[in-house]
Amino acid sequence: MKKITIDPVTRIEGHAKISIYLDDSGEVSDARFHVTQYRGFEKLCEGRPFTEMPRLMARTCGICPVSHLIAASKACDEIMGVKVPIAGVNIRKIINYAQILQSHALSFFYLSSPDLLLGMDAPIEERNIVGVLNRKKDFIENGIFLRKFGQMLIEKLGRKRIHPDYIVPGGVESPVEESIKDEINENARLCIDKALYTIDTFRSVLPAFEEEIRYFSHIPTYHMALSKDGKIEYYDGDIYIIDPEGRIELKFKPEEYNNYISERVEGFSYLKSPYLKIKGYPDGIYRVGPLSRLNIAESCGAEVADRELSIYREVAGRISNAAFLNHYARLVEIIFCAEKIIELLNDDATFDRHTKANAGVNFEEGVGVSEAPRGTLIHHYKVDRNGIVQWANLIIATGHNNLAMNKGILQAAKRFVKGDDIKEGFLNRVEAVIRCYDPCLSCSTHAVGKMPMMVEIVNNKGERLKEVRR
């Protein structure tokens, strides 16, 4: 059996490789997505006071620290048994909208636009953000503006752009001043305009990607997301799981997740593989993220985003299982986030001086769920009577998508990789399946001790002399 290795997988957050296995006739027989880094934040939590969880968990990721702040804080809210003041909730939501907006901009413009604007077969030395900048400067400048706005808003409200610790158990540390409103509103409206321009550009190139839409992890799976009143929701609501045709399979409270979701560890990755208990492993495959959120929601609940959602559904259908359309869904969500930021900044309750509830340990267990850029994020802590964390479980959005990513690269490899005629553009397509999901691997690597360590000894010519595995 012949093996093709793509190492590293490029233009993603974190470290991974792909193995493609060919049978004797040169046909693809299997493919695997290996997450090769390990961080283990679940174990780092143990022995720490629960009040430290938000600021500790923000360090899980430099791209989406706010999502971890919110999920961790919500779990701590449950341990304290408090109701967060409206101002605290609104400010948390604004910061999370800003983070999702900037993270989607990073994924679409910086990581994926070289494939989308230059083509999957573009020369490798040109297929990068500089290559796009040279071809379409205004397009990339829009992406830079969107990401900068999101980061600026996180810093303005949360005091730091990366790993802010302003969101705390019970709410947020302090109120925000109304003087910020005009500047942020103006820039948020510019974000909407720039995202609309981007959608028009993306739609113009979409017909060239019919094959990628059909074979990039276009698989029938369940979809999961928070939703409330039939609308997109990143903070409140119930967890919905729909089948591949859009029928509601499950609906439950976030704290009940453990009744419906289980996790499995495979020997080839540090990334765990969650699945639906009622379907078993591996049939209980499901996905999260922008595509899933738009599948589950009846509407966005924001004027411009709802208009764009209608146009999106003319392309995707009411329910889509095509992972490639995550790129389109991200652009709709950027508009939604900008509109919701404006809405909350025009809510007088956002500027109330009461932003935090205070309490000690009233319950010895708490679950916090929020929607991160890449999908549903779950933090679950158990503490003793002194508030010291005894156990933690994190199910990260990228983990939810693990089974789908593995199945997706197999589908793409079977389509594009044939025998010895292996073109670089075809291997790039297999990589690009992973980029559709925008995985955040630093967040999600907790499968401790399950992947063997390998040490290679090579000479000064790069020839392998010995390989040792443990």
Side-chain angles (χ1 to χ4, degrees), residues 53 57 72 75-76 79 364-366 379-383 391-392 394:
M53 288 303 99
M57 287 305 178
C76 295
I79 290 170
E364 294 181 11
E365 189 169 0
H379 280 230
H380 184 184
Y381 311 137
K382 295 180 181 179
V383 303
W391 174 90
L394 310 179

Side-chain angles (χ1 to χ4, degrees), residues 336-354:
F336 170 73
C337 288
E339 287 189 277
K340 297 302 285 187
I341 287 168
I342 294 170
E343 178 185 313
L344 289 173
L345 283 173
N346 286 283
D347 181 353
D348 290 340
T350 299
F351 301 97
D352 191 89
R353 311 307 289 179
H354 181 41

Side-chain angles (χ1 to χ4, degrees), residues 311-328:
I311 301 171
Y312 161 87
R313 284 177 173 164
E314 292 175 7
V315 175
R318 176 60 187 85
I319 303 296
S320 176
N321 288 291
F324 186 87
L325 293 178
N326 267 308
H327 297 308
Y328 196 159

Side-chain angles (χ1 to χ4, degrees), residues 154-170:
I154 292 169
E155 182 179 32
K156 193 173 287 288
L157 271 63
R159 300 174 185 167
K160 290 192 291 185
R161 292 192 178 196
I162 301 175
H163 309 320
D165 52 12
Y166 170 72
I167 298 171
V168 295

Side-chain angles (χ1 to χ4, degrees), residues 346-381:
N346 286 283
D347 181 353
D348 290 340
T350 299
F351 301 97
D352 191 89
R353 311 307 289 179
H354 181 41
T355 61
K356 182 172 68 171
N358 295 296
V361 176
N362 288 303
F363 300 94
E364 294 181 11
E365 189 169 0
V367 175
V369 175
S370 70
E371 286 290 329
R374 294 148 187 87
T376 313
L377 172 63
I378 301 172
H379 280 230
H380 184 184
Y381 311 137

Side-chain angles (χ1 to χ4, degrees), residues 50-111:
F50 82 95
T51 51
E52 289 186 2
M53 288 303 99
R55 63 184 179 186
L56 173 62
M57 287 305 178
R59 271 71 180 171
T60 310
C61 180
I63 304 298
C64 50
V66 173
S67 292
H68 289 283
L69 267 175
I70 290 176
S73 293
K74 289 182 71 177
C76 295
D77 298 341
E78 294 296 313
I79 290 170
M80 292 161 59
V82 298
K83 182 177 180 179
V84 179
I86 294 175
V89 171
N90 284 2
I91 296 167
R92 284 180 176 184
K93 287 181 177 181
I94 291 171
I95 297 177
N96 200 33
Y97 288 135
Q99 181 208 247
I100 291 172
L101 189 155
Q102 65 86 12
S103 179
H104 281 355
L106 172 65
S107 173
F108 185 88
F109 291 94
Y110 292 69
L111 305 182

Side-chain angles (χ1 to χ4, degrees), residues 39-48 53 56-57 389 392:
R39 301 193 70 214
F41 264 72
E42 289 175 335
K43 285 295 179 184
L44 293 178
C45 296
E46 294 178 8
R48 308 304 306 169
M53 288 303 99
L56 173 62
M57 287 305 178
V389 176

Side-chain angles (χ1 to χ4, degrees), residues 100-390:
I100 291 172
L101 189 155
Q102 65 86 12
S103 179
H104 281 355
L106 172 65
S107 173
F108 185 88
F109 291 94
Y110 292 69
L111 305 182
S112 290
S113 73
D115 297 326
L116 305 175
L117 272 291
L118 306 179
M120 297 284 174
D121 298 302
I124 193 169
E125 64 272 13
E126 297 178 14
R127 203 174 59 229
N128 51 58
I129 191 170
V130 176
V132 181
L133 181 65
N134 291 336
R135 300 270 192 95
K136 203 165 181 62
K137 184 179 178 182
D138 58 343
F139 181 86
I140 290 300
E141 286 177 342
N142 284 347
I144 293 170
F145 179 89
L146 288 165
R147 179 156 164 75
K148 180 180 178 180
F149 169 76
Q151 293 288 75
M152 175 275 295
L153 185 49
I154 292 169
E155 182 179 32
K156 193 173 287 288
L157 271 63
R159 300 174 185 167
K160 290 192 291 185
R161 292 192 178 196
I162 301 175
H163 309 320
D165 52 12
Y166 170 72
I167 298 171
V168 295
V172 299
E173 280 285 14
S174 59
V176 296
E177 303 301 327
E178 289 194 59
S179 57
I180 69 170
K181 186 189 299 186
D182 291 342
E183 178 190 358
I184 294 175
N185 279 338
E186 180 182 351
N187 284 315
R189 292 188 184 97
L190 285 173
C191 285
I192 295 171
D193 292 339
K194 293 178 185 299
L196 288 171
Y197 170 82
T198 304
I199 287 179
D200 287 342
T201 304
F202 181 63
R203 276 200 296 261
S204 71
V205 303
L206 204 52
F209 293 97
E210 289 184 3
E211 194 171 22
E212 285 78 7
I213 292 172
R214 188 175 177 185
Y215 292 103
F216 275 25
S217 196
H218 192 163
I219 51 180
T221 68
Y222 294 86
H223 295 271
M224 184 174 86
L226 283 175
S227 186
K228 185 177 182 182
D229 301 326
K231 297 180 176 64
I232 291 180
E233 179 58 52
Y234 299 149
Y235 186 88
D236 292 312
D238 294 323
I239 293 177
Y240 285 75
I241 295 177
I242 61 171
D243 69 14
E245 286 74 45
R247 294 181 292 265
I248 296 175
E249 182 78 21
L250 294 168
K251 174 189 172 185
F252 52 88
K253 299 293 182 186
E255 60 269 21
E256 299 171 337
Y257 84 93
N258 208 31
N259 296 331
Y260 304 97
I261 298 171
S262 191
E263 297 175 274
R264 185 183 175 101
V265 172
E266 296 287 2
F268 57 82
S269 179
Y270 287 125
L271 184 60
K272 292 187 287 187
S273 299
Y275 61 93
L276 299 179
K277 288 183 176 181
I278 59 170
K279 299 298 178 181
Y281 181 88
D283 294 335
I285 179 174
Y286 65 95
R287 285 184 270 184
V288 299
L291 183 78
S292 299
R293 288 191 286 252
L294 296 192
N295 280 342
I296 288 171
E298 293 297 327
S299 66
C300 295
E303 181 182 358
V304 182
D306 275 326
R307 187 185 71 213
E308 291 303 316
L309 178 62
S310 297
I311 301 171
Y312 161 87
R313 284 177 173 164
E314 292 175 7
V315 175
R318 176 60 187 85
I319 303 296
S320 176
N321 288 291
F324 186 87
L325 293 178
N326 267 308
H327 297 308
Y328 196 159
R330 284 186 189 99
L331 298 177
V332 175
E333 288 200 323
I334 284 174
I335 294 171
F336 170 73
C337 288
E339 287 189 277
K340 297 302 285 187
I341 287 168
I342 294 170
E343 178 185 313
L344 289 173
L345 283 173
N346 286 283
D347 181 353
D348 290 340
T350 299
F351 301 97
D352 191 89
R353 311 307 289 179
H354 181 41
T355 61
K356 182 172 68 171
N358 295 296
V361 176
N362 288 303
F363 300 94
E364 294 181 11
E365 189 169 0
V367 175
V369 175
S370 70
E371 286 290 329
R374 294 148 187 87
T376 313
L377 172 63
I378 301 172
H379 280 230
H380 184 184
Y381 311 137
K382 295 180 181 179
V383 303
D384 63 17
R385 292 184 179 275
N386 296 314
I388 303 301
V389 176
Q390 304 297 303

